[in-house]
């Protein structure tokens, strides 16, 4: 599945119209964010995550979306179930993000 790019304008709509969502907060200047992008795309294509919606949010241009997850560092990942924040992590290791996504099934 493609990674959806969301902004402050449509962020809440994306959260509320998808049951399980993982959001990657990034910035254009963030090297680790750029390095993680292909992994995030690959994860979005993984059959294990077929029920999860993957979303990219530019943390610099979408401050309201950033506040929803209390973003502290970049890259920053947050998972939402039924529009509600479940958990988040500031990390750039794929295993940490996979563990975060699995919390949506708990």
């Amino acid at each position: 599945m493609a990674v959806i790019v969301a902004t402050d304008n449509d962020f809440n709509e994306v959260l509320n119209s998808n049951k399980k969502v993982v959001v990657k907060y990034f910035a254009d200047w963030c090297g680790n964010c750029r390095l993680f992008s292909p992994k995030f795309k690959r994860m979005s294509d993984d059959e294990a995550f077929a029920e999860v919606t993957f979303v990219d949010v530019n943390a610099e241009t979408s401050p309201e979306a950033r506040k929803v997850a209390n973003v502290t560092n970049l890259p920053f990942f947050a998972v939402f179930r039924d529009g509600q924040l479940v958990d988040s992590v500031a990390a750039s290791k794929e295993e940490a993000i996979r563990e975060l996504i699995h919390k949506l099934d708990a």
Side-chain angles (χ1 to χ4, degrees):
M1 180 186 288
V3 177
I4 297 170
V5 178
T7 65
D8 277 350
N9 295 335
D10 58 1
F11 184 71
N12 286 327
E13 181 182 328
V14 170
L15 289 186
N16 293 320
S17 60
N18 295 283
K19 184 167 178 56
K20 298 177 181 179
V21 179
V22 58
V23 180
K24 176 182 68 145
Y25 293 91
F26 71 95
D28 293 331
W29 52 262
C30 173
N32 283 337
C33 300
R34 283 196 302 276
L35 289 172
F36 200 86
S37 283
K39 294 177 191 170
F40 196 63
K41 171 67 176 115
R42 193 168 49 250
M43 290 168 71
S44 76
D45 292 332
D46 190 329
E47 281 297 313
F49 302 130
E51 297 178 5
V52 179
T53 302
F54 285 70
V55 179
D56 266 346
V57 172
N58 185 323
E60 290 195 305
T61 59
S62 298
E64 295 306 313
R66 187 176 68 228
K67 285 180 197 166
V68 172
N70 302 313
V71 175
T72 53
N73 279 332
L74 297 174
F76 191 90
F77 299 84
V79 287
F80 297 84
R81 186 186 312 111
D82 298 319
Q84 299 300 310
L85 179 64
V86 174
D87 202 358
S88 60
V89 64
S92 52
K93 295 204 181 322
E94 187 171 341
E95 191 53 41
I97 310 317
R98 287 183 175 274
E99 287 176 20
L100 181 68
I101 294 171
H102 285 299
K103 290 183 179 184
L104 288 171
D105 295 325

